[in-house]
Amino acid sequence: MPRLSEYLFSDLSTLKNLSRSDDRYKCRVEDSRRIEEPPEDLKQVQRRISNLLLRIEPPAYLHTPAKKRSPITNAREHLDCQVIVSLDIKQYFPSIRRRKVFDFFFKTMRCSCKVSNLLADLCVFKGRLPTGSPSSGIIAYFSLIEMWEEIHNLTLSNECIFTLYADDLTISGKQIPKDLVSNVKKIIRSYELRLNDKKEKHRRSPSPCEVTGNVIKDGVLKAPNRKHKKRHELHNAMRSKSCSVEEREKLLESHRGIDSYIKSIEGQ
């Protein structure tokens, strides 16, 4: 497997050792979400795997993981639609098991069995995709590419638009046939995945609709009110007399980030 070492900038013995790193992961909980973070040396290899796979031209419906695409580009695809449905896959990364990862490298990428096994071991944690790995996003997409293509073709045949942002699916159109959403759900469940029913949303124009963190109203994309509110709060905090120079610098950095985000959407 000399070519694999060349591609991943690491010798074979190191790669094999890194593939047995389950006990070196650091697990924590952030905002009620479990994060499984690989050690830095393994993370570098996973990042390299991700960068190589991101060179593959993504389909138009994929907005992350994909270069030069974002939650904003995802939402803009649905601006002129009258009906919008949002679905969310529950426990997305942990639901993708090692076998699917192996099959992607072996069947889709046509790697040898040995190479596919090693790559799968480098990318999984305890037999599943870890939530804190830089390669999990692109690996998850490719491991389920047959499912995504099936959903894309189904929505297309119904004259609807489908976009994918990680585990968030958005379907829209002038009208959405009654059985389309139920058939999409059946496809997802056929791949042994579960949907988060609490995050399912159905919106019809002119009601505002939030798509991947951005609001669509009357065919116009806007930043959500919470972003405007946060920008205002940061602005007031910076003007406070009790704010130290160090605190003001941190607040200014946060303000610039939110201000840039809002302007990238609304142009103001």
Side-chain angles (χ1 to χ4, degrees), residues 29-182:
V29 176
E30 287 185 6
D31 298 326
S32 302
R33 183 170 176 262
R34 179 179 167 84
I35 306 295
E36 299 147 347
E37 186 174 0
E40 189 57 39
D41 48 2
L42 175 57
K43 188 183 290 186
Q44 289 178 5
V45 173
Q46 292 172 341
R47 191 175 290 116
R48 176 62 179 164
I49 293 171
S50 176
N51 289 339
L52 290 170
L53 293 175
L54 284 169
R55 294 180 182 181
I56 300 172
E57 185 69 23
Y61 64 77
L62 180 65
H63 289 263
T64 198
K67 292 181 178 180
K68 297 181 179 180
R69 299 183 190 177
S70 68
I72 299 172
T73 63
N74 183 74
R76 281 184 176 144
E77 291 293 315
H78 306 279
L79 280 181
D80 299 323
C81 298
Q82 301 298 307
V83 185
I84 301 177
V85 175
S86 300
L87 302 173
D88 179 88
I89 295 178
K90 194 173 186 178
Q91 294 290 306
Y92 183 45
F93 289 163
S95 296
I96 300 173
R97 306 193 179 197
R98 184 189 181 281
R99 181 69 202 184
K100 286 190 181 296
V101 179
F102 170 85
D103 285 346
F104 160 62
F105 287 116
F106 186 64
K107 296 179 180 179
T108 305
M109 300 303 289
R110 299 183 181 180
C111 298
S112 70
C113 185
K114 286 184 178 180
V115 167
S116 299
N117 272 310
L118 180 54
L119 286 169
D121 288 337
L122 287 166
C123 293
V124 302
F125 168 65
K126 294 186 176 179
R128 304 168 186 264
L129 285 183
T131 55
S133 165
S135 61
S136 288
I138 191 67
I139 294 292
Y141 164 70
F142 277 121
S143 295
L144 295 168
I145 192 168
E146 291 181 357
M147 182 184 81
W148 302 129
E149 287 295 309
E150 191 175 348
I151 292 172
H152 171 62
N153 291 331
L154 178 62
T155 53
L156 203 61
S157 67
N158 282 273
E159 299 182 345
C160 290
I161 296 170
F162 161 65
T163 62
L164 176 65
Y165 189 86
D167 56 354
D168 293 329
L169 297 78
T170 307
I171 300 167
S172 66
K174 291 182 178 179
Q175 294 291 333
I176 296 180
K178 290 182 179 180
D179 60 348
L180 175 57
V181 175
S182 62

Side-chain angles (χ1 to χ4, degrees), residues 188-201:
I188 292 170
R189 293 188 181 110
S190 73
Y191 283 81
E192 300 179 342
L193 298 170
R194 295 178 298 159
L195 288 158
N196 191 334
D197 295 333
K198 292 181 180 179
K199 291 187 177 182
E200 181 176 335
K201 298 177 182 177

